[in-house]
Amino acid sequence: MDVTILGGGYVGLVTGAGLAELGHRVTVVEPNPARRGALAAGRLPIYEPGLDVLVQRAQSRGLLVPAAAWNPGQPADLILLAVGTPARPDGTADLSQVKAALEQIRSGLAATTCSNQPPLVVIRSTVPPGTTRWAALQLEGLAPVAHNPEFLAEGTAVRNFFYPDRLVLEVCNPADAHRLLDLYRPLLEQRFCVPLPDGDLRGSGRPVPVQVTSPEESELIKLGANAMLATRISLINELARLCETCGARIAEVAQGIGMDPRIGPAFLRVGVGWGGSCFGKDLQALTAAAAERGIHLSIPVAAYQANQEQRRWFAAKVCRVLGGLRGRQIAVLGLAFKLGTDDLRDAPALDLIRTFLAGGATVTAHDPLAVDRCRTEFPHLPVRYAQTPLEAARGAQGLVLVTEWPEYAALDWTALRQVMARPLLIDGRNFLDPAACRQAGFTYLGVGVPEPPGEGSSE
Ligand code: UGA
């Protein structure tokens, strides 16, 4: 099929490269010349594991073509909208990019005299309830509109594309469902083999469940799923704070909770607070959409506030164990909001660093992927970036682990302790082996873990 994707960000590129792998001819419309130029030159404007190989394969087969603008004369069975819907200052979703894309499609279709059936316009962007019906009105009946939310998580987006838990779709006219089902057929039937350097991705053979819903349901499934996930993490983080006051270990508590099949173990990992471009934005969009309809959603608000509190609580803990921030040198391991990405949007590391700096500390930081992006996006952040964790740790009074990069688990803790001014390690993800760190001479503190006598207070 011929597919045009408006928007060459995470969702647009992963979806585009994935669809090309399934044999579709994909045009990715990306107005930003730098991003488009990178793509045309075979480079990725974003980091996502496995995506570079997919994009190169698609481009070598001529199945993935970047373009500056949508060409109404070019055949398209489907147009997928994968543009951004950032939060406005009042929390509502900014739909200006969706609106501009629809206007482009409307005027393009109105000006073409082609007798082919019009493309199915599919909204993949995360949007508040009511947007798909509104989009259909914007197109004035020139093309049918559908909603098909994405459930791609950064760092695992390629796998998430090929092994979806479910396909949720909404089409105004049931006949249009076939176009979307045909588009995803190899995924739905789990019949594919994608050669990747670290092992082929092969279809599981188990059909993927399809849920056909109304537009409002489809829109709320996406927002509700993210709200549910964020709420789980916020709650487990709150329980971790409680654990520290009553001598309980959060890992045990989370394990016991997650063994209930009605709850399950996923998304119960504690940390310094969740981040990224989706959870915070979507909680706010959901709350704002409800407020516009006179409904007060207290849980998304509480989940959001609890997450902000988790970041403050963790920063305060670092301050307490260091005996104050003024004059301290703190080494931060990990800047990205999660492992497997260089994305810094709403990254807790940035909040922590700003708090440390505001308290009078100096900060050295290491991240295996995100340093260049941090330098570019936050040129005025007075942080010294280190090439290695050892370099970051040199002379520091405290080492704070923020992102759970696997290489940090394999560090030589004895070597790190030797270069530090004080062997204090605060593991914001409960990711490291406390026994190994303590054996190397560190005072080790985690999140929601009782502090051994004598540890957890300033020297
Ligand atoms: C999230 C959802 O997981 C995707 O299903 C969704 O498609 C995507 O948003 C989106 O709306 O586009 P993403 O934000 O990329 O994906 O990453 P997650 O894996 O959900 O992690 C979000 C944050 O939660 C990260 O900071 C992560 O470290 C944190 N987290 C996650 C925890 O603190 N604990 C956990 O147990 C899991």
Side-chain angles (χ1 to χ4, degrees):
M1 297 170 94
D2 288 300
V3 183
T4 296
I5 300 184
L6 302 187
Y10 282 94
V11 174
L13 279 181
V14 173
T15 307
L19 290 175
E21 187 63 44
L22 301 181
H24 300 298
R25 291 173 295 277
V26 180
T27 303
V28 175
V29 176
E30 173 52 60
N32 180 316
R35 294 175 80 96
R36 193 174 61 251
L39 196 57
R43 281 180 287 108
L44 277 187
I46 57 167
Y47 176 82
E48 185 60 42
L51 185 59
D52 50 352
V53 180
L54 280 195
V55 166
Q56 280 155 18
R57 273 168 55 81
Q59 290 191 324
S60 66
R61 293 156 73 201
L63 292 178
L64 187 71
V65 179
W70 176 57
N71 172 5
Q74 186 185 326
D77 297 297
L78 298 105
I79 300 178
L80 270 51
L81 264 62
V83 294
T85 52
R88 289 206 198 92
D90 66 356
T92 55
D94 178 354
L95 296 178
S96 54
Q97 293 180 54
V98 175
K99 196 168 183 188
L102 291 169
E103 175 49 27
Q104 208 183 344
I105 298 169
R106 191 204 59 78
S107 59
L109 291 176
T112 25
T113 47
C114 182
S115 56
N116 290 347
Q117 67 168 352
L120 177 64
V121 175
V122 183
I123 299 181
R124 287 281 274 170
S125 308
T126 302
V127 292
T131 307
T132 307
R133 283 192 204 277
W134 164 81
L137 293 175
Q138 303 294 303
L139 291 184
E140 298 171 353
L142 290 166
V145 181
H147 187 250
N148 167 223
E150 53 81 21
F151 302 103
L152 308 171
E154 285 180 31
T156 54
V158 169
R159 287 193 77 80
N160 298 153
F161 178 85
F162 285 102
Y163 301 110
D165 310 309
R166 74 287 208 196
L167 177 80
V168 175
L169 62 98
E170 173 287 324
V171 282
C172 297
N173 176 355
D176 294 322
H178 289 291
R179 269 199 267 186
L180 262 176
L181 294 175
D182 286 346
L183 181 77
Y184 292 124
R185 183 83 52 210
L187 290 187
L188 297 177
E189 295 174 357
Q190 285 289 294
R191 282 184 296 99
F192 54 80
C193 177
V194 184
L196 287 180
D198 51 355
D200 297 351
L201 296 182
R202 287 177 187 278
S204 68
R206 284 186 303 278
V208 172
V210 177
Q211 185 185 8
V212 183
T213 68
S214 78
E216 291 75 16
E217 287 158 357
S218 176
E219 290 156 343
L220 281 175
I221 286 169
K222 172 62 199 252
L223 288 173
N226 273 0
M228 188 71 83
L229 293 170
T231 302
R232 281 173 77 96
I233 307 168
S234 285
L235 178 59
I236 205 73
N237 280 338
E238 284 199 328
L239 289 177
R241 306 207 290 265
L242 177 59
C243 278
E244 289 201 6
T245 67
C246 56
R249 292 168 298 166
I250 191 62
E252 297 295 318
V253 174
Q255 186 185 344
I257 293 174
M259 278 159 70
D260 183 331
R262 294 169 302 176
I263 298 173
F267 271 66
L268 291 179
R269 289 193 323 275
V270 294
V272 294
W274 45 259
S277 65
C278 303
F279 283 176
K281 164 181 87 79
D282 291 351
L283 287 178
Q284 291 182 69
L286 188 60
T287 312
E292 280 171 4
R293 291 163 172 79
I295 304 291
H296 173 63
L297 296 188
S298 59
I299 290 175
V301 174
Y304 185 85
Q305 287 170 349
N307 193 54
Q308 298 305 106
E309 179 54 26
Q310 183 72 5
R311 296 177 184 197
R312 280 193 293 273
W313 171 85
F314 185 75
K317 176 177 172 125
V318 173
C319 176
R320 175 172 54 81
V321 295
L322 277 170
L325 293 171
R326 184 151 304 281
R328 306 293 186 194
Q329 184 194 323
I330 303 173
V332 171
L333 295 188
L335 294 165
F337 83 94
K338 64 182 277 195
L339 109 128
T341 180
D342 63 350
D343 198 339
L344 294 162
R345 285 177 287 178
D346 199 21
L350 293 169
D351 269 2
L352 292 173
I353 288 173
R354 288 193 188 102
T355 306
F356 298 157
L357 293 171
T362 55
V363 174
T364 49
H366 175 268
D367 189 289
L369 265 188
V371 165
D372 285 347
R373 188 176 257 220
C374 203
R375 269 194 234 275
T376 313
E377 291 183 4
F378 303 95
H380 303 300
L381 196 68
V383 166
R384 193 167 62 74
Y385 296 102
Q387 299 279 346
T388 62
L390 193 72
E391 194 190 317
R394 197 174 296 283
Q397 280 102 12
L399 189 63
V400 178
L401 183 135
V402 181
T403 315
E404 69 280 39
W405 288 106
E407 45 265 67
Y408 293 156
L411 287 173
D412 176 348
W413 293 105
T414 307
L416 263 99
R417 185 186 59 78
Q418 281 165 357
V419 299
M420 287 182 65
R422 185 181 161 200
L424 175 62
L425 174 51
I426 307 141
D427 180 354
R429 297 274 187 171
N430 290 358
F431 174 64
L432 304 169
D433 175 0
C437 298
R438 289 192 179 116
Q439 204 174 7
F442 272 98
T443 296
Y444 172 93
L445 301 169
V447 173
V449 187
E451 292 167 4
E455 298 190 4
S457 54
S458 63
E459 57 192 342

